[in-house]
Amino acid sequence: MRTSRSSFRARLAAFLTSAATTGVLLAAGAPAAHAADTPLRDLAAAKGKVIGTAVTGSKLTGTYGDTAGREFNALTPGNAMKWGSVEPARGTFDWAEADRIVDFAEAHGQQVRGHTLVWHSQNPGWLTNGTWTSAQLSRLLNDHIATEVGRYKGRLAAWDVVNEPFNEDGTYRETLWYNGLGADYIAQALTAARAADPSAKLYINDYNVEGVGAKSTALYNLVKSLKERGVPIDGVGLQAHLILGQVPSTLQQNIQRFADLGVDVAITELDIRMQLPATEAKLAQQAAEYKAVMNACLAVSRCVGVTVWGFTDSDSWIPDTFPGQGAATPYDENYAPKPAYHAIAEALGGTTTPPPTGACTATYSVTGQWDNGFTGQVRISCSGASLTSWKASWTFGAGQRISQAWNASCTQSGAAVSCSNASYNGSVPDGGSVTFGFNASWSGSNPVPTVTLG
Ligand code: G2I
C-alpha cells in the first residue's frame, strides 16, 4: 500500500476536521461507543491487511465520502473502470469517474484496485456488436489494456485483469474473448497488463470460487499452468458474493491452497445478502459470517485482505439484481454501522461496544454537498424505547448556518442548533424512526456534529 507523508497528513487533517462523521448520541446523553471506535483501516493496517470497499465516484462527498475515507484503506471502482464506462464509443474515452476515485484514494492514503480489464459484461456496444477476426480482437484487447493500465501506471496496487472466466462446472465461459482467441486471451491480457504497469499486482477474479469445488479447482489449475508457463500472475480474487447461511466451510482451506501455489489471494467483492426484511437475528448471523470471512483471510499470510462490494446498503447492487433481498453490506442505508461492521472490527482486533439496545438515537448525515451549501438529515430511531415528542440539538463546529428545515422546526443561535418535532411527527414508536432535514451553508470545512436528543 502506498503511504506517503503527505497522504498521511491529508488523512490526519481530514480526520481532525471530520472526526465522528456520523454523530450519534443516545437519548440518555451517553455517547454511543461506536462513534469513537478505531477506524477499520487503522485496525487492518496494524495487521498489514487491506480493508477495502467498492465505491461510486460521483457519491464521494458528504457522509458517503467521509465514511469511505475514514474507514477503508483501499478503494475499488464499482463500475468506473469497466470498458463500457471508459470507452463508450470507439476512440472516445471518459476517465472522469475513474480519475475521481483514484484522486480521492491518493488524497486519503488509500490503495486502488483496478476493476476490470477483460470481462464478458459491461462492454461497449461497438465492441460486442462488432465482427472481429482473431487478429483484430487480439489488437483490441492489447490496445485497451495498454491504454487503461498505462493511464494509471504506478498508481494502482492491483488490477483485476481477467474477470469471471469460468462457468460453474469449471469449463471456460464462452465470451467474446474465449470464442475469438481461445483460452490464450487470459495469458495475452496478463502479459499486456504487466508490460503496461510492472508495479501493479495482476489478478484473475471470479465468483463462486470461495470454497473448494469444480470452479475453484479450474481456477487453481489455470493459475498453476500460467505460473509454469511463466505468464505473469500475482493473485486470485475471490469475489465472495455470499448468501446468509452459506459461507463455504472450505474457505480458509481454499485460500491456503492458492497461497501454496505462490500467489496472493484477495477477497474482492464481499457482501452477504439476506431475504428482507432484515431482523435482529439475521443481522447477528450476518455479523458472525462477516467475521468468519475476515478470520479465514487473516489466518493465511498471503491473503492480502478483504474488500466489501459497497459499504452501505444504499449503494449495493443486491436489491436491483435479487428483488426482495438486500441488507448485504456493513452499514445500513443511513450510514449507521450494522452488527457486521462491529464484527469486522472485532476480527481485526478492535474492541467495539455496539450501541446498547433500549434507547432512541439520533444519527446526523450529510446527504448532499455543493459549493458552499449542503443538505443534512437527522434520523431519530427507537429500539426498545419510544418517544412522544423530541428535540435534537447540536453545535456546529465550523460556522455552518441553517437556512431552511423540513419535518422539524429548527432555531439556530450562534453555533447552537435546536430542532423540535413538527405537529405530526413527535411520536417515534419502538422499532420506528422519523427523519427531518435541512439546508445549510458551510465554508472551509463541514465537520459533522454530534446530536443530543432531549
Ligand atoms: O454483479 C456484481 C458484481 C459481480 N462481479 C463483478 C462486478 O463488476 C459486479 O459489479 C456489478 C456492479 O456492482 C453493478 O453496479 O456489476 C453490475 C453489472 O454487471 C453493475 O450493475 C450495473 C447495472 O447493470 C447498470 O444498469 C447500471 O447502469 O450498474 C450500472 C451503474 O449503476
Side-chain angles (χ1 to χ4, degrees), residues 78-79 82 115-116 119 121-122 163-164 205 207 239 241 269 309 317:
N79 287 298
K82 292 169 179 173
H115 176 86
T116 178
W119 194 23
S121 180
Q122 284 179 290
N163 200 35
E164 304 173 359
N205 188 48
Y207 63 88
Q239 292 184 7
H241 292 293
E269 305 183 12
W309 204 244
W317 68 297

Side-chain angles (χ1 to χ4, degrees), residues 83 99 109 130 138 160 173 181 259 266 280 290 299 328 337 352 363 394 420 437:
W83 200 327
D99 283 355
S138 181
D160 289 329
R173 190 193 285 268
L181 300 171
E280 216 171 289
Y290 263 90
T352 68
T363 307
W394 64 87
S420 308

